[in-house]
Amino acid sequence: MNPSNPPQTAEYGGDEVSAIVLDPGYSTTRAGFAGEDAPKSLIPSYYGKYNADGQEKLVFGDDVFVTPRPGLSIHNPIGKDGIVEDWDMAEKVWEYSFTSRLTGAKPGNPFHNGLNDIPSEELPTEMEVESEEKPLADSPLLMTEPGWNPAKAREKTIEIAMEKWGTPAFYLARNGVLAAFASGKASALVIDIGASNISITPVHDGMILKRGVQHSPLGGDYISSQIRALFKKNSPQPITITPHYLISSKTAVEAGQEPQAKYKTFPADKAPDASYRALLEERTLSEFKECVVQVWPGPNKLSAAGPNGVPNEESARSSPGRPFEFPDGYNQMFGVDRFRVVESLFDAKAAIPDPESIFPAPTPAQTLPELIKASLGGVDVDIRPHLLGNVVVTGASSLLYGFTDRLSQELMAQFPGPRVRVSAPGNTAERRFGSWIGGSILASLGTFHQMWISKKEYDEHGANIVEKRCK
Amino acid sequence: MAAAADVRDMLDLPAEGQPRPHKKQKVVEKRPEGITRELYALLGERAPPIAINENKYKGRPKWMNKLRVRPWRMSPFTNGARSDGLVLNHWQRKHESTRPPAPEGTEMDVDEKKEKEEGKEDEAPKPLEQEYNFAKYNIKARVPRSYSDEEYTRHLQNNDWTREETDYLMDLTHEYDLRWVIIADRYDYQPRVPGTEAETEGDSNALVPAKHYRTMEQMKSRYYFVAATMLAIEHPPSEMSEGEFDLHEKMLKFDPDRERDRKELAALQLNRTADEVREEAMLLEELKRITSNEQNFVTERRELYSRLEVPISVGNTTIYQSSQGLSQLLQTLLQADKSKKRRSILGPEGAVASPAGQTPTQASQVTRGDTPGTNAAAANKKGGAAAAAVASAREIQQPIRTLTPAEESRYGVQHHERVSAGVQFRSDRAQKLTQAKSNVQTLKLAGALAELEIPVRLFMPTERVCKEFERLIQSVNLLLDARKVAEKVESEIRVLEASKAEREKKSAPTDASGNPEVKTEAEEGTGVLESTAADADADAKENPADGDGEEAAKEGEGNHKRSASVLSGASDKSSKRQRR
């Protein structure tokens, strides 16, 4: 066949082999069948751990938010930089993500489920073999990873998939590439604004350019820390976030007044761990981000003057504020401050200082414009204009109001010559699950099935094959 | 009771005329589905057109229901593009083992297909042998065949590149299908650890642990060199096909330095500031404006040129110079005109006038600009000239026959410097000459003409008479002018004389104060004489004082016969002076 002849339209196409796409992130883990348009299973990557009756018990999925069990502590198997740290727990969380909604719990051994209690001497021996059913025995698995995933982590991933889950075929794809596929591009500059990281991934012909991959920790959690810093310095009185589980009842109060609420108290031995409260506070903060926080749309930085000489801060101040009510009933109007909490993503100097925060003050090199500049500096000059014409924005934190406007303004100010085009899907699901959707497309393509690493190949070459095949 | 027939009778209507018009049938509109009867009744008779969309599941078309359901099943397959025989499962249409009891009509159509399916049916138990649809997309870029050790040592040695690194590069190009952007990105050659046996570069590499950074240009240059050499080894350049030769040439001509320079320029272009970009945009705009202006200019000039360019005809016109030839031409033209069925050149009556009568009018129509002097009569009389004029009208380009002055006078051919528009009489022009600018002058002219017994209106204003008249008027004007000048001089002399006399009177008080009136009159008389005579007699000036008025007048009469007019002119003058 001649590669210069394009295939007929009917020749393109999907061929679904009931593959499972698993897209683990720092905040949530997405899983679903390839060929569908949204992941069926969306669970938090956090898990809970507590002691009951002297036994350590684990809580997965949305259940972690529900019950403040005594001593419940929240953990995340993935490190702040998006690389798995706790492999045992990561395996359990991921397994939960697809067994809970997709594959279903496999029937246990019929001899142990209590229905077939028969005397042990009559036990037929040949049935023993079937009892070792693995959760993914008949679904190929496509997993995603960040562009800076080290080789060790990749090998560990295929090991788990092959040996623990027994998948017949496996593939490990970069989430930047998949996000580009999700918006129909084989070459793109993918800007992923996640919970723990923001990353820039240049993609060329479906492969990442490793030297251009940049990431920095100014993600959604960093914005949360900025919001906390803002609350501490709030002018009438500092705002404390009390999560819903600590409120038993509340009454409405005027804006800026002391909250009138009855609080639940837990005795010290029954109280959950502080990490549980932090997790639930984070939920309130993400609500705050959705409702209030706004990115200064530009042009220029918030601290600079606008095109007509009026300082941008002034014009931001003149725009009407947005109210927000906290779980305890306290409510307040947020004016220009709602722009300040995210400004440091673009302008390191605008960060709200907070010595208690776990995030150090951002450096200029960590801001988005600098990351993009560094990323483009790492790729060949010939493809830079093309990448700038295909900027793909993905990740849930990019849904901040006004984010894409500001991003395109910054890019156009930085690169006035080439045409800059930012493509950000307006559909929130497509933005949040960009890399999962790309994986869903990829794993359901007929042409992709030659790329899987099969069990046989894995057995032959070992875990190192992932380096050779998933380039 | 008066029946309808009686009424008809009374009104004189034909019995049982047309049948009565049918009573308008009440149109019962069908109640559309999806709207209740009660609601529909409320709408009244003339319901507005409402499109009722029923979002109902349509299902399959009816004819499809007769077809058999073709089941799908999960079936395993292998991919020909894989080497490991991985078996995956996908949904596929199941092939039936028995011929379905299809209806007769469709039997024929599907027959062939069914048979084909039956043919496949035999293979169905082992579907793995079927070619996988997407396997054909597994293609690889063409890379040069690998070199042997001997070939390497003989042809491919390079100081900068070791054999190992070249191997690494070739593997990489193969692995990434010559996508240079990715190759340059992933290029990460680790030189061999010096601990193991090394051939050439053991120590030097150990001393330089810093990674040797290769640019894309270096890689490309090395690869192209290797590929071109391998191609040349395989087929010597004389035996290469055209495509191969092209490729070989291109690969040999790769210049890494130039490529690097180009990339530097591209980087500069990419990193321009906003001001530079704006300036460039402005310049481009300016350039666009300039080029569009130039385009406009060029098109305008071309238009002008095309307007100036007269089609040059090179036909021979001698045959049209005789009247016979002309009439022939006219006939052919008329023929063509008739066949064309357009507005006839003969006018609405369409009658064929005599060629002699017809042609000159046409000629004069066309050639009015050229020779307005040749009027119709002249053209008629002078056959040759008319022929020439007509010919020149017919075919604009014709050598003009030059006439000798004798011929010109004979034919009455004239040449005018400037011709004013419209028709005018020759005598008008002569008449105009007698009208001077001022009324006084006109009167003087009229006087002079009367004296010469020449009527103001010429009786016979032939060309020559007019010319003569013109000359006469001119000379009269000249004389009048001269007289005016003389008078002026006279008066000056008189003033001076007077002042001289005054002085003498002072010196000699005895001198007779005399009669200045008489004196002046005498002077005047002579002055007039002098001027009219236009002979500028020296004595007239010298002895005006002594000269008698009458004497002078007599003299003037003797010389010319103009004294009367002159006198009248003089009297005129004097009266004028008195008035003054």
Side-chain angles (χ1 to χ4, degrees), chain A residues 3 11 15-17 204-205 208-211 380 382 416-417 446-447 449-450 452 454 456-457 471, chain B residues 79 81-82 84 89-90 132 134 136-139 175 179 182 184-187 216 262-263 270 272:
Chain A
E11 282 184 312
D15 186 12
E16 292 177 17
V17 294
H204 179 76
D205 273 358
I208 62 161
L209 300 174
K210 282 182 180 163
R211 289 182 189 161
D380 192 63
D382 284 348
T447 44
H449 300 320
Q450 68 184 57
W452 295 109
S454 67
K456 190 177 162 197
E457 283 169 319
K471 295 177 276 203
Chain B
N79 192 337
R82 298 188 68 95
D84 60 346
N89 295 294
H90 62 175
Y132 183 56
F134 298 96
K136 61 186 168 186
Y137 299 116
N138 184 32
I139 42 171
E175 194 178 342
R179 288 188 183 94
I182 295 168
D185 183 66
R186 304 291 168 88
Y187 195 87
M216 193 199 285
R262 183 186 70 77
K263 286 203 174 161
L270 193 73
R272 286 171 304 170

Side-chain angles (χ1 to χ4, degrees), chain A residues 214-364:
Chain A
Q214 298 285 335
H215 66 109
S216 85
L218 307 187
D221 288 350
Y222 167 76
I223 297 170
S224 299
S225 81
Q226 287 281 295
I227 296 170
R228 284 175 200 270
L230 174 75
F231 286 172
K232 271 182 211 162
K233 290 207 257 171
N234 196 40
S235 57
Q237 75 258 29
I239 302 169
T240 49
I241 309 161
T242 317
H244 283 285
Y245 82 99
L246 287 173
I247 312 286
S248 75
S249 72
K250 68 172 179 187
T251 48
V253 292
E254 287 295 304
Q257 297 304 305
E258 285 285 334
Q260 304 278 325
K262 267 194 213 159
Y263 297 103
K264 273 186 204 164
T265 47
F266 291 88
D269 56 330
K270 297 265 179 188
D273 193 67
S275 56
Y276 180 73
R277 179 174 175 152
L279 180 70
L280 290 199
E281 279 178 7
E282 205 62 38
R283 296 192 97 192
T284 304
L285 286 178
S286 50
E287 200 182 323
F288 184 83
K289 283 185 244 179
E290 285 161 16
C291 302
V292 177
V293 173
Q294 195 172 348
V295 183
W296 172 249
N300 291 340
K301 295 173 171 142
L302 184 61
S303 55
N308 46 8
V310 181
N312 280 338
E313 207 144 328
E314 285 300 312
S315 24
R317 215 183 293 275
S318 63
S319 69
R322 293 194 186 184
F324 186 76
E325 185 181 320
F326 288 87
D328 57 2
Y330 177 81
N331 65 85
Q332 191 191 324
M333 206 71 141
F334 290 90
V336 70
D337 288 335
R338 72 179 193 274
F339 292 102
R340 288 212 182 101
V341 290
V342 281
E343 186 61 18
S344 51
L345 256 62
F346 299 93
D347 180 10
K349 276 180 252 159
I352 303 169
D354 182 11
E356 293 160 40
S357 167
I358 50 165
F359 289 92
T363 62

Side-chain angles (χ1 to χ4, degrees), chain A residues 155-205:
Chain A
E155 285 171 15
K156 185 76 189 163
T157 312
I158 190 174
E159 221 178 284
I160 290 172
M162 287 292 179
E163 287 172 9
K164 301 275 176 61
W165 299 337
T167 180
F170 178 80
Y171 196 79
L172 194 57
R174 317 278 183 172
N175 47 24
V177 173
L178 297 183
F181 285 166
S183 38
K185 297 171 197 295
S187 302
L189 187 72
V190 181
I191 298 177
D192 187 350
I193 315 292
S196 69
N197 274 292
I198 57 180
S199 69
I200 317 289
T201 316
V203 180
H204 179 76
D205 273 358

Side-chain angles (χ1 to χ4, degrees), chain B residues 393-550:
Chain B
R394 285 285 137 74
E395 308 201 50
I396 296 160
Q397 184 57 305
Q398 193 203 353
I400 292 164
R401 198 171 135 201
T402 49
L403 300 172
T404 60
E407 276 176 308
E408 269 183 13
S409 65
R410 211 176 109 218
Y411 297 145
V413 175
Q414 297 165 349
H415 300 283
H416 296 261
E417 299 246 330
R418 197 158 50 90
V419 179
S420 56
V423 180
Q424 53 187 348
F425 290 111
R426 220 182 263 145
S427 57
D428 282 352
R429 274 181 61 202
Q431 199 65 37
K432 224 173 258 168
L433 288 172
T434 60
Q435 308 289 320
K437 268 174 224 141
S438 67
N439 220 6
V440 184
Q441 189 83 347
T442 313
L443 282 176
K444 276 183 198 164
L445 265 175
L449 284 180
E451 196 184 342
L452 294 171
E453 291 178 346
I454 294 169
V456 176
R457 273 193 87 83
L458 294 170
F459 290 133
M460 195 69 165
T462 62
E463 187 66 37
R464 272 158 73 187
V465 170
C466 278
K467 245 180 213 162
E468 285 303 313
F469 185 72
E470 208 173 302
R471 209 159 34 204
L472 174 70
I473 295 291
Q474 262 173 14
S475 47
V476 169
N477 274 335
L478 197 68
L479 283 173
L480 284 175
D481 283 356
R483 190 174 69 182
K484 208 192 275 172
V485 172
E487 270 172 8
K488 209 167 138 198
V489 174
E490 282 300 317
S491 65
E492 269 173 32
I493 289 169
R494 228 183 306 131
V495 170
L496 288 175
E497 292 260 340
S499 62
K500 191 185 161 196
E502 203 71 32
R503 252 181 283 141
E504 279 170 359
K505 215 173 16 182
K506 271 179 193 164
S507 57
T510 50
D511 200 58
S513 58
N515 38 2
E517 284 90 2
V518 174
K519 206 179 193 175
T520 50
E521 264 182 51
E523 276 170 27
E524 217 174 280
T526 44
V528 168
L529 169 78
E530 296 309 315
S531 67
T532 44
D535 289 333
D537 282 347
D539 14 3
K541 268 178 196 168
E542 270 171 54
N543 49 6
D546 333 356
D548 202 349
E550 283 179 31

